Amino acid sequence: MRGRTPRWRCVFAVVCALLAAAGIAISLTWGRVFDSVVARQVALVPGSRSFREWEAPSVPLFMDVYLFNWTNSENFPQEKPHLVQLGPYRFKEHRQHVNVTWHVNNGSMAYRTLRSWHFQPSSNGSLDDNVTMLNIIAASAIYRARDWGFLEQKMLSMSLAMFGQHMVVSKPARELLFEGYEDALLDVAKTLPASATGGAPPVDRFGLFYERNNSITTDGYMEVSTGVDSGTLPGQVLRWNYEDYLPYYTGECAKNRYDSRFLREMFLYATLRRSSIKGWNGKTRTYLLKGSAGEFLPRDLTERSAVTVFVPDLCRSIQLTHKLSGELGGLPYHRYSVAPESFDNSTSSHHNTCFCNGDCSWGGVMNVSACRYGSPSFISLPHFLHADPALAAAVSGLQPDEDKHSFYFSVEPNLGVPLEVAARFQLNVLIEPNPNIALYEKVPKMLFPIFWVEQSVQTEASIIEELVYARTILEWGATVCACTALLLLVLVALATCCVPRHKYARPADGAIISEKPKDEAEIKLNNL
């Protein structure tokens, strides 16, 4: 029939139209489609790539330890301590998550972390280096006795003298770090009740990292979300050491949970994404402790976002805020550094008051004595960066530097993948005068720097290439789908509108043309 579209054109047009509609729908919802795919890829489920990389990380991990050598201890307290930084003593860390238990009913998993450290020849120093530092064992004993009566303190003073305790100890670096050294006070501590030792387990040796190598107790028992449930992220801490709160603190600090403002923002985010958020309005579970374990971070981060990480060594979470943006291997990132208020002594951040545990004399430090068996332990950034100037003024030899001593995560913002991590902390021990204990009768009240550590991770180039590819798909996926849909619509128009018309050719000479037979009346009329 003249002008009729062939059947194959109709089928072709219908198929193209359906594909174009699908392309338009995907382009309009590309963000949600991509998020759904990524969520399935990063969820911690048995056998997934994400789980395999998490279970035994292939990314090289290093720990650099810097020890402070006290060079003028014989003149203390007449002279302020002069400290010389030694190191770094570099250790390569092997980490593996073990004893994994799955809790399918609430979308979580529990595990412990096995860590081992191996000394590296590239270190700036030898483990045989002799280092002089504050006698931490004596300092801890005197700190615990600060509330004792007069007679008990005098007995401790005589015991310290009898067992040859001094203000300082001088030991090889290997003994100060992992191997430990023997001390008579440790034997005495075994005979004392738990109330006198702060509940510290009896040990035969003392070292800054003693009994940590090849141990699964360092980070404790962790329970985190798997990210399987809609609206949840993997790696968010639910319980630590079987508790959904922090027993070392009181009030809101013990809860250590996200506040209502954060949950409202998360609920709004989930609503825009057309997904549910666990724990909202009490209908389902919420993240019981604040922050992730560090391996998994939220996606779609902006310069206004804050990253929260739970740090077992600090027995609490810390918040990181945006510091700067840059590019690594062609991949853009946001760098989030430890917020100054995380180390604040409550003078400007009232919510930190319950972390003080009684002593918040200086800003820029964390009092972690409660989770260190009552030892006078305070954490700061290295060289007292961003801390009260009085802390650095009490000693000489410190040179705080933002580039060398800050704590930060460099994160690809859209995917929430850490590209570079520099976790830096400094351990300081509180000393203060005690008129009843001869060893500390004339000492000033100060925080004495002992060492600082940097745990660094940098993503390998091959993984960065994969992330660049994934980011390209995220940024251009909607555009490609829309262009494909437009091309298909053009093909539909060509298939349905541009139908060729059938033309009749003039008959060639000699061709026989059939005509309609004429009747008799028409023949007679023509003859006339």
Side-chain angles (χ1 to χ4, degrees), residues 83-96:
L83 307 177
V84 175
Q85 177 178 286
L86 302 181
Y89 300 93
R90 172 163 290 187
F91 298 85
K92 187 173 184 179
E93 177 182 344
H94 294 279
R95 182 182 305 179
Q96 184 177 3

Side-chain angles (χ1 to χ4, degrees), residues 502-516:
H502 298 282
K503 296 182 179 179
Y504 293 89
R506 182 176 180 179
D509 294 342
I512 300 175
I513 301 175
S514 60
E515 295 184 357
K516 182 181 179 180

Side-chain angles (χ1 to χ4, degrees), residues 67-229:
L67 298 174
F68 289 113
N69 186 37
W70 189 358
T71 61
N72 63 339
S73 59
E74 66 279 359
N75 298 326
F76 185 75
Q78 289 75 25
E79 293 181 6
K80 70 168 59 175
H82 180 71
L83 307 177
V84 175
Q85 177 178 286
L86 302 181
Y89 300 93
R90 172 163 290 187
F91 298 85
K92 187 173 184 179
E93 177 182 344
H94 294 279
R95 182 182 305 179
Q96 184 177 3
H97 297 109
V98 298
N99 297 351
V100 178
T101 304
W102 303 93
H103 302 153
V104 181
N105 59 324
N106 66 349
S108 69
M109 58 182 290
Y111 64 91
R112 289 184 179 272
T113 304
L114 173 64
R115 294 187 179 188
S116 60
W117 288 273
H118 305 274
F119 184 72
Q120 299 296 295
S122 59
S123 300
N124 183 24
S126 167
L127 290 180
D128 294 323
D129 294 342
N130 192 70
V131 183
T132 299
M133 65 171 54
L134 183 73
N135 186 345
I136 300 177
I137 298 177
S140 298
I142 295 171
Y143 181 76
R144 292 194 184 103
R146 67 193 184 280
D147 296 325
W148 293 1
F150 173 80
L151 292 178
E152 289 86 352
Q153 290 186 357
K154 280 297 183 181
M155 290 180 62
L156 175 60
S157 180
M158 290 186 292
S159 298
L160 293 174
M162 182 174 60
F163 289 110
Q165 295 294 316
H166 301 285
M167 185 71 66
V168 301
V169 293
S170 294
K171 301 289 181 181
R174 65 173 68 252
E175 294 185 7
L176 291 173
L177 294 175
F178 285 99
E179 294 184 6
Y181 60 90
E182 296 179 350
D183 192 287
L185 279 186
L186 297 178
D187 297 328
V188 174
K190 296 178 182 178
T191 64
L192 299 177
S195 59
T197 63
V203 292
D204 298 320
R205 305 173 71 88
F206 173 81
L208 298 173
F209 303 105
Y210 182 62
E211 291 189 335
R212 284 196 167 205
N213 214 347
N214 298 310
S215 171
I216 63 172
T217 61
T218 300
D219 288 346
Y221 169 92
M222 301 285 289
E223 184 178 338
V224 301
S225 58
T226 60
V228 173
D229 294 339

